[in-house]
Amino acid sequence: MGSLQTDALDFVNADGFQVNPLDPEEFRRQGHMVIDYLADYYRDIHKYPVRSQVNPGYLRKRLPSAAPNDPEPIEAILGDITHDILPGITHWMSPNYFAYFPASGSTAGFLGEMLSTGFNVVGFNWMSSPAATELESIVMDWLANMLKLPECFLFSGGGGGVLQGTTCEAILCTLTAARDRVLNRIGREQIGKLVVYGSDQTHCALQKAAQIAGIFPVNFRAVATTREDAFALNPAALRDVVAADVARGLVPFFVCPTIGTTSSTAVDPVKGICAVAKEYNMWVHIDAAYAGSACICPEFRHVIDGVEMADSFSFNAHKWFFNNLDCCCLWVKEPSALVKALSTSPEYLRNKATESKQVVDYKDWQIALSRRFRSLKLWLVLRSYGVANLRNFLRGHVKMAKHFEGLVAADGRFEVVVPRTFAMVCFRLLPPKPEESGKANELNQRLMEAVNASGQAYMTHAVVGGVYMIRFAVGATLTEERHVTKTWHLVQKQAGEVLASRT
Amino acid sequence: MGSLQTDALDFVNADGFQVNPLDPEEFRRQGHMVIDYLADYYRDIHKYPVRSQVNPGYLRKRLPSAAPNDPEPIEAILGDITHDILPGITHWMSPNYFAYFPASGSTAGFLGEMLSTGFNVVGFNWMSSPAATELESIVMDWLANMLKLPECFLFSGGGGGVLQGTTCEAILCTLTAARDRVLNRIGREQIGKLVVYGSDQTHCALQKAAQIAGIFPVNFRAVATTREDAFALNPAALRDVVAADVARGLVPFFVCPTIGTTSSTAVDPVKGICAVAKEYNMWVHIDAAYAGSACICPEFRHVIDGVEMADSFSFNAHKWFFNNLDCCCLWVKEPSALVKALSTSPEYLRNKATESKQVVDYKDWQIALSRRFRSLKLWLVLRSYGVANLRNFLRGHVKMAKHFEGLVAADGRFEVVVPRTFAMVCFRLLPPKPEESGKANELNQRLMEAVNASGQAYMTHAVVGGVYMIRFAVGATLTEERHVTKTWHLVQKQAGEVLASRT
């Protein structure tokens, strides 16, 4: 980032004026450079340590303390990305990335985002760019059909789909709609009586949404799960907690079953939970953030049986559906509940289309006013790969996880902690001697850190039922079976060292 | 979108297996195609009608009713974008776009988003990709210095900046933090007493945030503004409303002055409002969504004088700062207030860096858990153009608006309705005869619709003090003075026709 006086001249035309920052030919030139930069990045990505190895504060030491006064050329910026940014990136796109839930970006997802960014429309209502709204509605119907969602979630059935950024937003919107639906009935001043339900395995998104929406923190219930139920929310246990709350004069209003919990991909029983919800008139939001996409495969669709009894359903297309971040698909049965809770109608947005009531104005289905043209990437993913291949991609990930599960099971030093359901294996190293059982968690902590510190693979952990386990989540787009096998050998090698060095 | 059996073979390798959807060479090939597509789009953009001319439901008639089972080539998809999507797009990037507040995308903003989408990291905490967090903190400090924000908003001064998607999110986060700060003191059950203040010109984002955060709808105050105050929030009027609420036992807790209101770019007086807020211990959030960026120019910085007394400040870099959607810059004085209201700490996200307390985990500064690497685009914009040029770009827009204002003033048939402050002119056609004054609004509605229907320019309206006015907002990146002049001639021509045809 030295002096760039000479290069800076590139940015100034013959009259000494700055070239327009959206000059088409300059856009073309620089755009091609960045495409090549990223294509090379994907080609060479296996060479980088998967988990970044930097220490806190590394970047401030490398960058100047103020923005430059004069322009700097793209060549210099890309050089700095290589030297200063890449070392600080944890490579979510790496084939050796098995942490959290992987982010399954793809070429089509990327191109869709490029087109959206390039058109740069702000699609708050139909009028502001009709194609942005209409394509979203169409693609959400396509996807609903792929998932075999009941007609009541489609526009033709009086429901509808909308793209949110994340599950957190989807839950906040539906929870707010549910809150207002009940408060409009029983009175705003009853807000302190409203109770929200999940399990102790439910994603923190639910708690956060409840906090933001003003639900009293004491009225958030994380129903305890057990190993016997494979850490799924037990409807009978839910009913007990709900009944106790009702007996105390509280008002249950929202329950959030999960399809594929973050810790162990547990599947909460939708039918049983919906039955309890029906008794108590609660809104059911199904959070299928991770595993919802698997429902396009007939062999997995049963995990959401009963969805017709729910009020809303969401999954993250940026998680296991080849869309780049961010893209959360939300369907609701009763869009008017969202609109009542989230709409505002200032004069400066008034227009004939809205007044005709023939159009959807998605601003009233979400938190923000402005919104990106996210459906383009979903459309490109669906079309570029096709339904048959998308199923095969997902099955490929499941097959690789199964392969890893087999490798774990074949090595007596390890155990698979909870049954594998989708493309994640939860395993741990067993303490060699019975008297070491108290040190099992520490042992696995050390094993995981050793694997991650090697830079050759990255995985993260969870604790369920007091057991620390390593989560091996297949889903990064570039992962092939050879990466899985090689990573297993790495785990075995590190386990040998950890076992040898224990005291 | 016919049969693509032959082309589909491109996607399948010799063994009959699907090529990896992130194959680097296929990514390169398709990426270059889309760059060329977008470069051509910008080159030819003036040929499209600015405001889409389609009718509701146009797209469902053109697209198939289900996702394809087999892959379709990018060539076919781009063809469909041209034929089916472009007609439904309102061209926000057009040089003849003067509606709402324009979206000022740029090459650097686009490339930054590409890199972010390409790396596809999910930067919820420091650990998940250190560069994403650190670059954001650094760039927000750079930008704070450019805006001459006081040290208390910088990380070095105990505050800090964060990138949100939109102002709606920024307001919801700060309002939630402010809500919990007061409720933690007076008790959660007092939520029904909390009151939020804006003016009748404040953006609907404030009302929406208050609704979502559970503030009682009856406790939302839109203080009336007057023409004498140029539709700015009068501190004395605010004090009266606040004092009356306190007298009734209510608890004022949040006030949101605007720098550049949506209807007329009015500037609420920060110092006076902060003084009232201080008396009543309210959180002040400054919404400078539109005009905040202008504060990098010394001649505009005075509009936020007094910002050191506020609690938080935000502006949209995607609005008038050459970043593609979405990118809202938020600074807070007391990050711990955000963290207390928005944090959750599940086991599966536990990590050493967080526990060391040496890092920022931005998930606790926003609504969602997942977050994109948005700082890359801001960094690219700052470096690619440099501070001096960014100032000049903004001044260029102001100059063009001034030019338009002069043209309006020189034609006796029109008036400039409110004084121009930044790059937007609010004007209207005057009814030729005094007895027609009751029809002024209708006349201007017809004029604007005629201009927009021509496809040659796009503007939108607002009503302030009962007066319907046309908003002419300069800010689209490709706009040059010739587009402004030409659009004025279009307005004059349409005005002539509207005047001639009036009954």
Side-chain angles (χ1 to χ4, degrees):
Chain A
M1 294 186 48
S3 164
L4 297 159
Q5 279 310 103
T6 326
D7 305 302
L9 293 173
D10 290 342
F11 290 78
V12 176
N13 70 15
D15 303 322
F17 288 104
Q18 171 77 31
V19 168
N20 188 294
L22 200 54
D23 175 77
E25 296 315 314
E26 190 57 27
F27 173 92
R28 194 189 307 270
R29 185 183 78 86
Q30 297 191 26
H32 285 310
M33 287 179 63
V34 173
I35 287 293
D36 283 331
Y37 185 92
L38 285 170
D40 293 349
Y41 171 70
Y42 294 137
R43 186 192 60 203
D44 302 334
I45 196 167
H46 57 280
K47 298 180 185 167
Y48 300 104
V50 187
R51 188 186 73 178
S52 169
Q53 315 274 316
V54 300
N55 290 317
Y58 91 100
L59 194 56
R60 244 180 231 273
K61 293 175 196 146
R62 299 185 183 204
L63 298 195
S65 61
N69 197 56
D70 296 318
E72 299 179 301
I74 187 69
E75 292 82 353
I77 297 172
L78 289 176
D80 291 340
I81 289 179
T82 301
H83 299 121
D84 297 328
I85 303 299
L86 285 190
I89 284 187
T90 290
H91 300 281
W92 286 66
M93 296 290 94
S94 166
N96 300 309
Y97 184 99
F98 305 102
Y100 306 107
F101 285 123
S104 62
S106 68
T107 297
F110 175 88
L111 300 182
E113 187 69 54
M114 273 176 77
L115 288 164
S116 163
T117 304
F119 294 138
N120 205 30
V121 304
V122 186
F124 39 79
N125 58 16
W126 180 87
M127 191 68 234
S128 70
S129 223
T133 296
E134 297 206 7
L135 186 63
E136 185 163 328
S137 298
I138 292 167
V139 169
M140 291 302 281
D141 273 0
W142 283 11
L143 202 44
N145 282 323
M146 289 167 64
L147 295 165
K148 298 211 181 306
L149 290 187
E151 179 77 13
C152 56
F153 286 109
L154 274 71
F155 283 94
S156 51
V162 58
L163 291 173
Q164 307 267 335
T166 64
T167 299
C168 295
E169 295 161 49
I171 294 181
L172 178 55
C173 290
T174 53
L175 191 141
T176 302
R179 181 199 69 189
D180 283 5
R181 191 169 72 174
V182 58
L183 290 183
N184 288 341
R185 200 177 70 233
I186 65 174
R188 191 57 57 175
E189 66 286 357
Q190 305 293 322
I191 188 170
K193 293 187 178 165
L194 300 188
V195 192
V196 171
Y197 301 84
S199 83
D200 56 13
Q201 300 299 309
T202 303
H203 192 272
C204 59
L206 179 63
Q207 192 189 344
K208 190 162 180 171
Q211 276 173 216
I212 293 171
I215 304 306
F216 288 19
V218 294
N219 290 345
F220 179 79
R221 303 277 176 271
V223 179
T225 58
T226 63
R227 178 175 288 269
E228 293 67 51
D229 289 325
F231 303 103
L233 175 56
N234 183 307
L238 172 67
R239 183 182 284 106
D240 289 347
V241 178
V242 172
D245 284 330
V246 171
R248 291 165 55 208
L250 297 175
V251 181
F253 85 107
F254 194 85
V255 57
C256 181
T258 306
I259 308 299
T261 57
T262 307
S263 292
S264 67
T265 71
V267 174
D268 292 341
V270 170
K271 275 188 189 171
I273 293 166
C274 285
V276 176
K278 201 176 173 190
E279 279 176 54
Y280 292 95
N281 201 16
M282 287 192 274
W283 182 298
V284 181
H285 176 76
I286 298 178
D287 169 11
Y290 166 62
S293 48
C295 297
I296 67 166
C297 303
E299 67 272 28
F300 285 115
R301 174 57 177 75
H302 67 91
V303 297
I304 58 167
D305 278 358
V307 61
E308 63 281 359
M309 299 165 73
D311 296 274
S312 48
F313 173 88
S314 65
F315 89 93
N316 284 345
H318 62 249
K319 205 164 240 122
W320 196 24
F321 205 61
F322 307 95
N323 280 257
N324 295 55
L325 190 67
D326 48 5
C327 191
C328 170
C329 305
L330 167 68
W331 289 269
V332 292
K333 248 184 199 171
E334 195 189 322
S336 67
L338 280 184
V339 173
K340 274 181 210 157
L342 301 172
S343 76
T344 53
S345 298
E347 173 67 32
Y348 48 80
L349 295 181
R350 277 186 67 179
N351 67 86
K352 281 185 193 165
T354 297
E355 280 157 25
S356 78
K357 296 190 192 293
Q358 291 186 334
V359 299
V360 169
D361 287 338
Y362 274 128
K363 72 180 176 62
D364 299 334
W365 296 47
Q366 63 172 24
I367 296 161
L369 172 66
S370 296
R371 62 201 317 273
R372 281 151 50 231
F373 194 169
R374 285 198 190 94
S375 57
L376 274 172
K377 62 182 164 188
L378 203 44
W379 191 51
L380 258 75
V381 165
L382 294 175
R383 295 189 60 191
S384 294
Y385 306 123
V387 178
N389 276 312
L390 287 166
R391 286 189 186 124
N392 287 337
F393 294 157
L394 299 177
R395 286 167 178 154
H397 291 160
V398 172
K399 200 179 146 207
M400 285 189 270
K402 221 168 175 169
H403 169 60
F404 188 86
E405 188 186 27
L407 294 169
V408 174
D411 186 330
R413 297 174 300 169
F414 292 86
E415 76 166 354
V416 174
V417 183
V418 295
R420 183 198 52 76
T421 310
F422 304 103
M424 186 172 87
V425 180
C426 297
F427 71 100
R428 65 169 184 159
L429 182 59
L430 294 166
K433 298 175 189 166
E435 65 269 28
E436 291 172 319
S437 72
K439 289 190 174 172
N441 288 3
E442 192 202 323
L443 193 71
N444 281 281
Q445 225 165 343
R446 285 176 51 213
L447 170 59
M448 191 180 77
E449 183 51 33
V451 168
N452 292 344
S454 78
Q456 295 171 59
Y458 184 31
M459 21 196 117
T460 51
H461 78 286
V463 175
V464 292
V467 174
Y468 185 104
M469 57 193 195
I470 303 174
R471 298 163 70 266
F472 181 84
V474 180
T477 311
L478 291 170
T479 302
E480 298 172 19
E481 194 172 288
R482 62 194 170 96
H483 301 108
V484 171
T485 307
K486 204 176 143 208
T487 299
W488 172 245
H489 293 148
L490 171 69
V491 171
Q492 285 184 309
K493 177 173 160 281
Q494 301 288 0
E497 289 175 19
V498 164
L499 287 173
S501 72
R502 79 190 193 282
T503 46
Chain B
M1 295 186 48
S3 165
L4 297 159
Q5 280 310 103
T6 327
D7 304 300
L9 293 174
D10 289 342
F11 290 79
V12 177
N13 70 15
D15 303 322
F17 288 104
Q18 171 78 30
V19 168
N20 188 294
L22 200 54
D23 175 77
E25 296 315 315
E26 189 58 26
F27 174 91
R28 194 188 306 271
R29 186 182 78 85
Q30 296 191 27
H32 285 310
M33 286 178 63
V34 172
I35 287 294
D36 283 330
Y37 186 91
L38 285 170
D40 293 349
Y41 171 70
Y42 294 137
R43 186 193 60 204
D44 302 335
I45 195 167
H46 56 280
K47 297 179 185 167
Y48 300 103
V50 187
R51 188 186 73 177
S52 169
Q53 315 274 316
V54 300
N55 290 317
Y58 90 100
L59 194 55
R60 244 179 231 273
K61 293 174 194 144
R62 298 185 184 204
L63 297 195
S65 60
N69 196 56
D70 296 317
E72 298 180 302
I74 187 69
E75 291 82 353
I77 297 172
L78 290 175
D80 291 340
I81 288 179
T82 301
H83 298 121
D84 298 328
I85 303 298
L86 285 191
I89 284 186
T90 289
H91 300 280
W92 286 67
M93 296 290 96
S94 165
N96 299 309
Y97 184 99
F98 305 102
Y100 306 107
F101 285 123
S104 62
S106 68
T107 297
F110 176 87
L111 300 183
E113 187 70 52
M114 272 176 80
L115 289 163
S116 164
T117 304
F119 294 139
N120 204 31
V121 304
V122 186
F124 39 78
N125 58 16
W126 182 88
M127 191 68 234
S128 71
S129 223
T133 296
E134 297 206 8
L135 185 65
E136 186 162 328
S137 298
I138 292 167
V139 169
M140 291 302 281
D141 273 0
W142 283 11
L143 202 44
N145 282 323
M146 289 167 63
L147 296 165
K148 298 212 182 303
L149 291 186
E151 178 78 13
C152 56
F153 286 109
L154 274 71
F155 283 95
S156 51
V162 58
L163 291 173
Q164 306 268 334
T166 64
T167 299
C168 294
E169 295 161 48
I171 295 181
L172 178 54
C173 288
T174 52
L175 191 141
T176 302
R179 182 199 68 190
D180 283 5
R181 192 168 72 172
V182 59
L183 289 183
N184 288 340
R185 198 177 71 232
I186 65 174
R188 191 59 54 174
E189 65 287 356
Q190 305 292 323
I191 188 169
K193 293 186 178 166
L194 300 188
V195 192
V196 172
Y197 302 84
S199 83
D200 57 12
Q201 299 300 309
T202 304
H203 192 271
C204 59
L206 180 63
Q207 191 190 346
K208 191 162 180 172
Q211 276 174 216
I212 293 171
I215 304 306
F216 288 19
V218 294
N219 290 345
F220 179 78
R221 304 277 176 270
V223 179
T225 58
T226 63
R227 178 174 289 268
E228 294 67 51
D229 290 324
F231 303 103
L233 174 55
N234 183 307
L238 172 66
R239 183 182 284 107
D240 289 347
V241 178
V242 172
D245 283 331
V246 171
R248 289 165 56 208
L250 297 176
V251 181
F253 85 107
F254 194 85
V255 58
C256 182
T258 306
I259 309 299
T261 58
T262 307
S263 292
S264 67
T265 71
V267 174
D268 292 341
V270 170
K271 275 188 190 171
I273 292 166
C274 285
V276 176
K278 201 177 173 190
E279 280 177 52
Y280 292 95
N281 200 16
M282 287 193 274
W283 181 298
V284 180
H285 177 75
I286 299 178
D287 171 11
Y290 166 62
S293 48
C295 296
I296 68 166
C297 303
E299 68 272 28
F300 286 115
R301 173 57 177 76
H302 67 92
V303 297
I304 57 167
D305 279 357
V307 62
E308 63 281 0
M309 299 166 73
D311 296 274
S312 49
F313 173 88
S314 64
F315 88 93
N316 284 345
H318 62 249
K319 205 165 238 119
W320 195 23
F321 204 62
F322 307 95
N323 281 258
N324 295 56
L325 190 67
D326 49 5
C327 192
C328 170
C329 305
L330 167 68
W331 288 269
V332 294
K333 248 185 201 170
E334 195 191 320
S336 66
L338 280 184
V339 173
K340 273 181 210 156
L342 301 172
S343 76
T344 52
S345 299
E347 173 66 33
Y348 48 80
L349 295 181
R350 277 187 66 181
N351 67 86
K352 282 185 194 167
T354 297
E355 280 156 26
S356 77
K357 296 190 192 295
Q358 292 186 335
V359 299
V360 169
D361 287 338
Y362 274 128
K363 72 181 176 62
D364 298 334
W365 297 46
Q366 64 171 22
I367 295 162
L369 171 66
S370 296
R371 62 201 317 271
R372 280 152 50 232
F373 195 168
R374 285 199 191 95
S375 57
L376 274 172
K377 63 183 165 189
L378 202 44
W379 190 51
L380 259 77
V381 165
L382 294 176
R383 295 189 60 191
S384 294
Y385 305 124
V387 178
N389 275 313
L390 286 166
R391 286 190 186 123
N392 287 337
F393 294 157
L394 299 177
R395 286 167 180 154
H397 292 160
V398 172
K399 201 179 145 205
M400 285 189 270
K402 221 167 174 171
H403 170 61
F404 188 86
E405 188 185 26
L407 295 170
V408 174
D411 186 331
R413 297 175 300 170
F414 291 87
E415 75 165 355
V416 174
V417 183
V418 294
R420 184 197 51 77
T421 311
F422 304 103
M424 185 171 87
V425 180
C426 297
F427 71 101
R428 66 170 183 159
L429 182 59
L430 294 166
K433 299 174 189 167
E435 65 270 26
E436 291 172 318
S437 70
K439 288 191 174 171
N441 289 1
E442 191 201 324
L443 194 70
N444 282 282
Q445 224 165 343
R446 284 176 54 214
L447 169 59
M448 190 180 78
E449 183 51 33
V451 168
N452 292 343
S454 78
Q456 294 171 59
Y458 183 31
M459 18 195 119
T460 52
H461 77 288
V463 175
V464 291
V467 174
Y468 185 103
M469 57 192 195
I470 303 176
R471 298 164 69 266
F472 180 84
V474 180
T477 311
L478 291 170
T479 303
E480 299 171 17
E481 195 172 288
R482 63 195 169 95
H483 301 107
V484 171
T485 307
K486 203 176 143 207
T487 299
W488 173 245
H489 293 148
L490 170 69
V491 170
Q492 285 184 308
K493 177 174 160 279
Q494 300 288 0
E497 290 176 18
V498 165
L499 287 172
S501 71
R502 76 190 195 284
T503 47

